[in-house]
Tab-separated table of all heavy atoms in Angstrom:
chain	number	residue	atom	x	y	z
H	156	ILE	N	-31.258	-12.839	27.678
H	156	ILE	CA	-30.697	-13.611	28.796
H	156	ILE	C	-29.414	-14.154	28.307
H	156	ILE	O	-29.309	-14.758	27.188
H	156	ILE	CB	-31.689	-14.843	29.177
H	156	ILE	CG1	-33.063	-14.284	29.553
H	156	ILE	CG2	-31.083	-15.706	30.167
H	156	ILE	CD1	-33.119	-13.602	30.854
H	157	GLN	N	-28.342	-13.961	29.078
H	157	GLN	CA	-27.018	-14.152	28.491
H	157	GLN	C	-26.771	-15.570	28.011
H	157	GLN	O	-26.046	-15.717	26.928
H	157	GLN	CB	-25.965	-13.777	29.516
H	157	GLN	CG	-24.615	-13.391	28.985
H	157	GLN	CD	-23.827	-12.546	29.904
H	157	GLN	OE1	-23.396	-12.975	30.912
H	157	GLN	NE2	-23.705	-11.236	29.549
H	158	PHE	N	-27.182	-16.546	28.693
H	158	PHE	CA	-27.129	-17.917	28.220
H	158	PHE	C	-28.512	-18.593	28.531
H	158	PHE	O	-29.040	-18.312	29.586
H	158	PHE	CB	-26.034	-18.710	28.966
H	158	PHE	CG	-24.623	-18.409	28.413
H	158	PHE	CD1	-23.965	-17.367	28.987
H	158	PHE	CD2	-24.060	-19.214	27.434
H	158	PHE	CE1	-22.684	-17.010	28.519
H	158	PHE	CE2	-22.785	-18.871	26.952
H	158	PHE	CZ	-22.070	-17.811	27.487
H	159	ALA	N	-28.969	-19.369	27.663
H	159	ALA	CA	-30.290	-20.046	27.882
H	159	ALA	C	-30.240	-20.833	29.235
H	159	ALA	O	-31.235	-21.060	29.875
H	159	ALA	CB	-30.560	-21.048	26.733
H	160	ASP	N	-29.081	-21.307	29.614
H	160	ASP	CA	-28.818	-22.018	30.832
H	160	ASP	C	-29.329	-21.160	32.134
H	160	ASP	O	-29.564	-21.680	33.146
H	160	ASP	CB	-27.396	-22.359	31.046
H	160	ASP	CG	-26.810	-23.024	29.773
H	160	ASP	OD1	-26.682	-22.326	28.768
H	160	ASP	OD2	-26.444	-24.162	29.845
H	161	TYR	N	-29.355	-19.858	31.927
H	161	TYR	CA	-29.660	-18.960	33.024
H	161	TYR	C	-31.021	-18.363	32.869
H	161	TYR	O	-31.330	-17.376	33.522
H	161	TYR	CB	-28.587	-17.816	33.077
H	161	TYR	CG	-27.176	-18.334	33.236
H	161	TYR	CD1	-26.137	-17.858	32.468
H	161	TYR	CD2	-26.893	-19.401	34.060
H	161	TYR	CE1	-24.813	-18.326	32.572
H	161	TYR	CE2	-25.631	-19.947	34.199
H	161	TYR	CZ	-24.629	-19.433	33.437
H	161	TYR	OH	-23.353	-19.907	33.544
H	162	ILE	N	-31.877	-18.972	32.062
H	162	ILE	CA	-33.214	-18.463	31.897
H	162	ILE	C	-34.135	-19.002	33.048
H	162	ILE	O	-35.219	-18.402	33.262
H	162	ILE	CB	-33.787	-18.872	30.538
H	162	ILE	CG1	-34.905	-17.914	30.099
H	162	ILE	CG2	-34.255	-20.388	30.526
H	162	ILE	CD1	-35.367	-18.058	28.649
H	163	TYR	N	-33.750	-20.016	33.823
H	163	TYR	CA	-34.585	-20.556	34.780
H	163	TYR	C	-34.981	-19.611	35.920
H	163	TYR	O	-36.166	-19.662	36.382
H	163	TYR	CB	-34.036	-21.891	35.368
H	163	TYR	CG	-33.602	-22.838	34.299
H	163	TYR	CD1	-32.343	-23.194	34.042
H	163	TYR	CD2	-34.603	-23.429	33.520
H	163	TYR	CE1	-32.005	-24.046	32.977
H	163	TYR	CE2	-34.272	-24.259	32.430
H	163	TYR	CZ	-32.981	-24.554	32.257
H	163	TYR	OH	-32.677	-25.494	31.226
H	164	PRO	N	-34.136	-18.697	36.366
H	164	PRO	CA	-34.680	-17.692	37.324
H	164	PRO	C	-35.849	-16.900	36.824
H	164	PRO	O	-36.599	-16.364	37.590
H	164	PRO	CB	-33.469	-16.782	37.677
H	164	PRO	CG	-32.297	-17.625	37.293
H	164	PRO	CD	-32.734	-18.531	36.165
H	165	ALA	N	-35.924	-16.815	35.503
H	165	ALA	CA	-37.079	-16.098	34.852
H	165	ALA	C	-38.222	-16.954	34.568
H	165	ALA	O	-39.195	-16.560	34.000
H	165	ALA	CB	-36.589	-15.335	33.606
H	166	PHE	N	-38.068	-18.178	34.933
H	166	PHE	CA	-39.134	-19.215	34.550
H	166	PHE	C	-40.522	-18.827	35.047
H	166	PHE	O	-41.533	-18.905	34.262
H	166	PHE	CB	-38.744	-20.613	35.100
H	166	PHE	CG	-39.406	-21.742	34.309
H	166	PHE	CD1	-39.152	-22.006	33.015
H	166	PHE	CD2	-40.287	-22.622	35.019
H	166	PHE	CE1	-39.656	-23.064	32.349
H	166	PHE	CE2	-40.860	-23.718	34.342
H	166	PHE	CZ	-40.597	-23.901	32.999
H	167	ASP	N	-40.588	-18.411	36.237
H	167	ASP	CA	-41.892	-17.957	36.895
H	167	ASP	C	-42.453	-16.793	36.096
H	167	ASP	O	-43.628	-16.875	35.768
H	167	ASP	CB	-41.684	-17.566	38.300
H	167	ASP	CG	-43.037	-17.239	39.000
H	167	ASP	OD1	-44.011	-17.917	38.798
H	167	ASP	OD2	-43.019	-16.218	39.767
H	168	GLN	N	-41.689	-15.788	35.783
H	168	GLN	CA	-42.150	-14.698	34.993
H	168	GLN	C	-42.617	-15.040	33.619
H	168	GLN	O	-43.668	-14.580	33.094
H	168	GLN	CB	-41.038	-13.575	34.879
H	168	GLN	CG	-40.825	-12.795	36.169
H	168	GLN	CD	-41.936	-11.730	36.449
H	168	GLN	OE1	-42.873	-11.553	35.697
H	168	GLN	NE2	-41.874	-11.099	37.636
H	169	LEU	N	-41.878	-16.026	32.996
H	169	LEU	CA	-42.317	-16.351	31.672
H	169	LEU	C	-43.498	-17.293	31.654
H	169	LEU	O	-44.457	-17.172	30.799
H	169	LEU	CB	-41.124	-17.031	30.909
H	169	LEU	CG	-40.009	-16.027	30.661
H	169	LEU	CD1	-38.718	-16.743	30.156
H	169	LEU	CD2	-40.391	-14.962	29.705
H	170	VAL	N	-43.485	-18.240	32.596
H	170	VAL	CA	-44.550	-19.286	32.544
H	170	VAL	C	-45.856	-18.807	33.192
H	170	VAL	O	-46.926	-18.991	32.658
H	170	VAL	CB	-44.045	-20.620	33.270
H	170	VAL	CG1	-45.165	-21.593	33.449
H	170	VAL	CG2	-42.868	-21.197	32.470
H	171	ASN	N	-45.812	-18.182	34.344
H	171	ASN	CA	-46.920	-17.744	35.121
H	171	ASN	C	-47.418	-16.407	34.658
H	171	ASN	O	-48.618	-16.074	34.884
H	171	ASN	CB	-46.661	-17.715	36.611
H	171	ASN	CG	-46.872	-19.071	37.290
H	171	ASN	OD1	-47.730	-19.852	36.814
H	171	ASN	ND2	-46.128	-19.393	38.322
H	172	GLU	N	-46.541	-15.566	34.151
H	172	GLU	CA	-46.941	-14.220	33.856
H	172	GLU	C	-47.042	-13.932	32.309
H	172	GLU	O	-48.136	-13.821	31.793
H	172	GLU	CB	-45.987	-13.222	34.512
H	172	GLU	CG	-45.990	-13.273	36.008
H	172	GLU	CD	-47.221	-12.686	36.576
H	172	GLU	OE1	-47.709	-11.665	36.137
H	172	GLU	OE2	-47.776	-13.279	37.567
H	173	ALA	N	-45.886	-13.927	31.627
H	173	ALA	CA	-45.976	-13.578	30.192
H	173	ALA	C	-46.957	-14.451	29.474
H	173	ALA	O	-47.777	-13.898	28.710
H	173	ALA	CB	-44.547	-13.765	29.581
H	174	SER	N	-46.882	-15.746	29.642
H	174	SER	CA	-47.695	-16.616	28.795
H	174	SER	C	-49.255	-16.471	29.055
H	174	SER	O	-50.044	-16.746	28.206
H	174	SER	CB	-47.284	-18.134	29.069
H	174	SER	OG	-47.786	-18.497	30.284
H	175	LYS	N	-49.561	-16.051	30.303
H	175	LYS	CA	-50.951	-15.992	30.651
H	175	LYS	C	-51.494	-14.575	30.738
H	175	LYS	O	-52.711	-14.425	31.089
H	175	LYS	CB	-51.123	-16.658	32.101
H	175	LYS	CG	-50.778	-18.113	32.133
H	175	LYS	CD	-50.602	-18.640	33.563
H	175	LYS	CE	-50.330	-20.161	33.644
H	175	LYS	NZ	-49.126	-20.601	32.942
H	176	PHE	N	-50.739	-13.590	30.339
H	176	PHE	CA	-51.073	-12.215	30.546
H	176	PHE	C	-52.411	-11.901	29.783
H	176	PHE	O	-53.279	-11.255	30.354
H	176	PHE	CB	-49.968	-11.329	30.017
H	176	PHE	CG	-49.672	-10.221	30.927
H	176	PHE	CD1	-48.838	-10.347	32.037
H	176	PHE	CD2	-50.208	-8.918	30.673
H	176	PHE	CE1	-48.547	-9.310	32.847
H	176	PHE	CE2	-49.867	-7.919	31.495
H	176	PHE	CZ	-49.080	-8.054	32.634
H	177	ARG	N	-52.445	-12.361	28.561
H	177	ARG	CA	-53.662	-12.002	27.708
H	177	ARG	C	-54.851	-12.789	28.178
H	177	ARG	O	-55.924	-12.299	28.337
H	177	ARG	CB	-53.304	-12.317	26.227
H	177	ARG	CG	-54.381	-11.831	25.297
H	177	ARG	CD	-54.146	-12.337	23.873
H	177	ARG	NE	-52.923	-11.927	23.242
H	177	ARG	CZ	-52.698	-10.806	22.550
H	177	ARG	NH1	-53.694	-9.956	22.398
H	177	ARG	NH2	-51.579	-10.542	22.007
Side-chain angles (χ1 to χ4, degrees):
Chain H
I156 300 293
Q157 202 156 71
F158 285 85
D160 312 65
Y161 305 135
I162 203 168
Y163 306 113
F166 202 63
D167 183 44
Q168 284 286 355
L169 294 172
V170 174
N171 274 330
E172 295 291 318
S174 74
K175 297 168 177 60
F176 224 82
R177 189 191 298 274

